[in-house]
Structures are given as C-alpha cells and as structure tokens.
C-alpha cells in the first residue's frame, strides 16, 4: 500500500522588527499591516490550490500564530456552489518552534562594521554587551537542533509511522527563518540519501548543499512531498549500507518516479555535466532515526507566488503594526463620501 505526506515549512509575515531591522528572536514582534496582507494572501493562495490541511503547527509567538490563523481562516472559506465549508484543524501553538533566542542582541541592530575598530558590527556589539551586567549569550545551534528533533519525534514521526492512515496528511508548520533552516536540516538527516529529488525548475535555487536551500522570505515556504510503498521500504533496508550521494547529478539521476498528480516534477534521465558538488552531510554516530523507504520530492523553495502583485500600502501605513481594531487598510485613504 502506497502512502504519502505533504509538508509545508512556512515563515511568518513581515513584522515591525523586520522593518526596524533588529533581531526579533524570542521577542513577540507583531505583524505589520503589510505582513497581515502577506499572510492573508498566503492562506487564500493555498486554499485556491485545493489543499485541505490536516495539521497546523506554529510557534507560540504572535507573528507565527497570526500567519497560521490566516491559513486556517482561508480553509474555512465556503467552496463550490453549495457553500460547502472544509474542515480545518486548530492551530497547535508550540514554544519549541520559536525563533532562535538572540540573548542580549534581541531588539538591536546588527550594525555595520565600526570604522574605528575594524570589527564586524555583530561581533563588536557582542563584545560591548559582554562587559554589561546581565549579558545573555545567544542560543546555540545545538540547542536549536535539540528543539527541532523534539518536535520531529513528538509530532512528525508519528504521522510517518501511522500505517493505518487512509488519507494523505497535509501539514503546515509556521515558524521563523533561522529555526526553519535548522528544522529542515534535522529532517534531511533522517531521509534516505538516494531518495531525494528536486522539482524541475528549482535546481538553480539550491545552493552548494541541500542543507542550505536558501533563506525564507516573509510567508515564503518550502513544499515537500513524501511517498513510500511497501516495496520501497524493504528495498531501503538494503540501500542503507550503500555509498551516500555526493554530487548534484547523482542525486537527480535515479529510479524515482514522481506521482502523476504532482505538478512540474521532473526527474532527469541522464547525468548533468559540470554540476557542483552537493554534500548532504556525513553520517554521524548520533544520527537520529531515519525515515526508511520514503522518497522525498522538493517541490518549492521559498515559494512566493502568492505575493505577486501585492504592493505595500502607501503613506507608511503598510509598515505600521497591524491592529485589528483599526479600519481596513485598503479603505484607509478612501475619501469620505460627501453627504
């Protein structure tokens, strides 16, 4: 029996700290009016694709919660002539999905290189702060990796392990740029190295390593499709001891067959000459439990199709903090009718 899972790793909408160009981190920075529009566009766009999310997870910080809520709200929009409303799961808010804690750097700008010291701004500010009472170090990569693993173990793996599931789980995780990069790397560690494929047209968006797919723009998302058959599962047990993939062409050349219902998925039939080295990552003694038998298709990287044509509201209104009690910003500048 074939099984499949769709997963969306989504960054929150624009925030006031993004506009101020300061580290937000664990601060509960609010969406701007423009960020709210981005989140609204995202929800409606995903709904227009016919997606029915079965699981919605978000960081507990309001910028992620409100972005996830707009996705859920769009799911509740009536569809069809009979006004049928899709079921929509509640947003599960988890502190474990929060952004990196920048310690004493939160709320501060990563200043440019100070002329008098020649030290990069971030390091210069860090050295200054260390001499300040109450200085707090930023969260380490190891700490973020542990948080990502905890989420994967408790919430994602049970969905992959549930062989009794007779539908395709469609999962959205709304979090933050740096943490999403960590989460993707920890997921990648669990995937069979020879069973990862890039969708046609996104090869150029991938850098030298699958571990570094690029950054997440506000409401940009990474879309993944996982598929497994019983035959693939048993075959993967044999493949576990094979030499890992190390080149871009080797990764794209193989026996994977894309599902017919996926758009724009392409697997080259021959090797691509002159491609860069693609290192997935060396095996580690502490490597977490793998997803044996699962094939992975990377369909979208930092997708922003939903933002096409969206312009920031004029007069600086788009950059202001979103306030639901205010008038809708698309009517902010409309003239009052003369009585």
């Amino acid at each position: 029996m074939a099984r499949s899972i769709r997963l969306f790793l989504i960054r929150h909408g624009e925030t006031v700290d993004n506009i101020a160009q300061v580290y937000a981190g664990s601060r509960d920075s609010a969406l701007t009016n423009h960020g709210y529009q981005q989140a609204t566009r995202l929800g409606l766009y995903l709904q227009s694709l016919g997606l029915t999310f079965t699981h919605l997870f978000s960081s507990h910080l309001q910028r992620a919660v409100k972005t996830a809520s707009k996705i859920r709200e769009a799911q509740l929009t009536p569809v069809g002539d009979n006004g049928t409303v899709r079921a929509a799961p509640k947003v599960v808010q988890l502190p474990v999905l929060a952004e990196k804690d920048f310690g004493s750097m939160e709320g501060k700008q990563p200043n440019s290189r100070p002329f008098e010291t020649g030290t990069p701004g971030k390091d210069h500010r860090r050295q200054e702060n260390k001499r300040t009472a109450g200085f707090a170090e930023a969260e380490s990569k190891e700490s973020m990796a542990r948080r990502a693993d905890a989420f994967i173990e408790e919430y994602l793996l049970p969905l992959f392990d549930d062989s009794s599931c007779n539908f395709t789980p469609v999962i959205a995780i709304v979090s933050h740029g740096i943490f999403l990069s960590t989460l993707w790397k920890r997921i990648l560690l669990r995937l069979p190295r020879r069973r990862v494929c890039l969708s046609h047209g996104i090869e150029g968006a991938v850098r030298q390593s699958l571990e570094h797919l690029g950054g997440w723009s506000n409401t940009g998302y990474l879309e993944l499709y996982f598929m497994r058959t019983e035959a693939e599962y048993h075959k993967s047990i044999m493949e576990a001891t094979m030499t890992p993939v190390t080149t871009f062409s080797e990764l794209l050349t193989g026996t994977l067959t894309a599902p017919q219902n996926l758009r724009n998925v392409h697997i080259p039939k021959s090797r691509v000459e002159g491609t860069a080295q693609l290192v997935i990552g060396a095996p580690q003694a502490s490597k977490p439990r793998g997803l044996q038998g699962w094939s992975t298709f990377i369909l979208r990287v930092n997708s922003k199709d939903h933002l096409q044509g969206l312009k920031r509201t004029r007069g600086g209104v788009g950059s202001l903090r979103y306030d639901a009690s205010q008038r809708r910003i698309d009517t902010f500048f409309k003239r009052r009718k003369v009585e």
Side-chain angles (χ1 to χ4, degrees), residues 19-34:
I19 293 297
Q21 297 183 344
V22 299
Y23 289 116
S26 62
R27 285 158 50 97
D28 205 8
S29 182
L31 292 180
T32 62
N33 287 321
H34 189 67

Side-chain angles (χ1 to χ4, degrees), residues 52-290:
T52 300
F53 286 97
T54 59
H55 301 79
L56 289 172
F57 300 100
S58 87
S59 154
H60 69 302
L61 298 174
Q62 64 170 312
R63 56 191 186 271
V65 173
K66 289 184 177 179
T67 301
S69 296
K70 295 306 293 183
I71 296 174
R72 182 177 188 273
E73 181 181 308
Q75 294 281 292
L76 296 172
T77 302
V79 295
D81 296 334
N82 59 358
T84 302
V85 178
R86 294 191 181 104
K90 292 183 178 180
V91 177
V92 179
Q93 302 176 32
L94 300 169
V96 75
L97 294 175
E99 180 60 299
K100 173 181 178 177
D101 187 333
F102 285 95
S104 294
M105 285 296 294
E106 294 201 347
K108 299 176 181 177
Q109 292 182 327
N111 290 348
S112 58
R113 183 186 300 271
F115 176 77
E116 68 279 6
T117 65
T119 304
K122 181 172 66 174
D123 294 337
H124 178 72
R125 180 68 70 94
R126 183 169 177 269
Q127 291 169 11
E128 284 186 334
N129 286 344
K130 272 194 168 183
R131 295 190 289 269
T132 304
F135 171 78
E137 286 277 7
E139 184 179 11
S140 67
K141 292 181 180 179
E142 292 74 21
S143 173
M144 286 194 293
R146 287 193 293 270
R147 287 200 284 124
D149 283 340
F151 172 77
I152 293 170
E153 292 284 346
E154 185 169 353
Y155 293 96
L156 281 189
L157 287 188
L159 298 176
F160 282 88
D161 293 341
D162 186 5
S163 58
S164 65
C165 183
N166 59 2
F167 62 90
T168 296
V170 182
I171 309 161
I173 300 172
V174 184
S175 185
H176 312 264
I178 295 176
F179 184 76
L180 284 172
S181 294
T182 299
L183 180 60
W184 161 241
K185 291 174 186 177
R186 302 308 293 180
I187 292 173
L188 185 61
L189 275 176
R190 300 168 184 267
L191 301 177
R193 297 189 184 100
R194 289 187 177 275
R195 307 198 68 79
V196 179
C197 179
L198 298 175
S199 170
H200 177 66
I202 69 169
E203 295 94 331
V206 178
R207 300 177 182 178
Q208 295 294 308
S209 167
L210 273 184
E211 293 178 341
H212 304 283
L213 292 177
W216 266 263
S217 301
N218 290 124
T219 65
Y221 63 85
L222 172 66
E223 181 181 356
L224 306 169
Y225 184 91
F226 303 91
M227 183 176 65
R228 191 187 82 176
T229 64
E230 288 303 315
E232 287 174 330
Y233 173 73
H234 293 297
K235 182 180 178 181
S236 69
I237 303 301
M238 299 297 296
E239 290 179 341
T241 58
M242 296 177 67
T243 304
V245 174
T246 56
T247 67
F248 191 74
S249 57
E250 286 174 333
L251 179 73
L252 293 178
T253 305
T255 59
L256 294 183
T257 302
Q260 294 298 317
N261 62 333
L262 291 183
R263 296 169 289 108
N264 301 322
V265 174
H266 171 67
I267 302 176
K269 299 296 184 182
S270 60
R271 293 181 180 273
V272 180
E273 299 298 332
T275 51
Q277 289 292 308
L278 181 65
V279 180
I280 293 180
Q284 301 178 8
S286 59
K287 183 177 178 180
R289 179 164 69 89

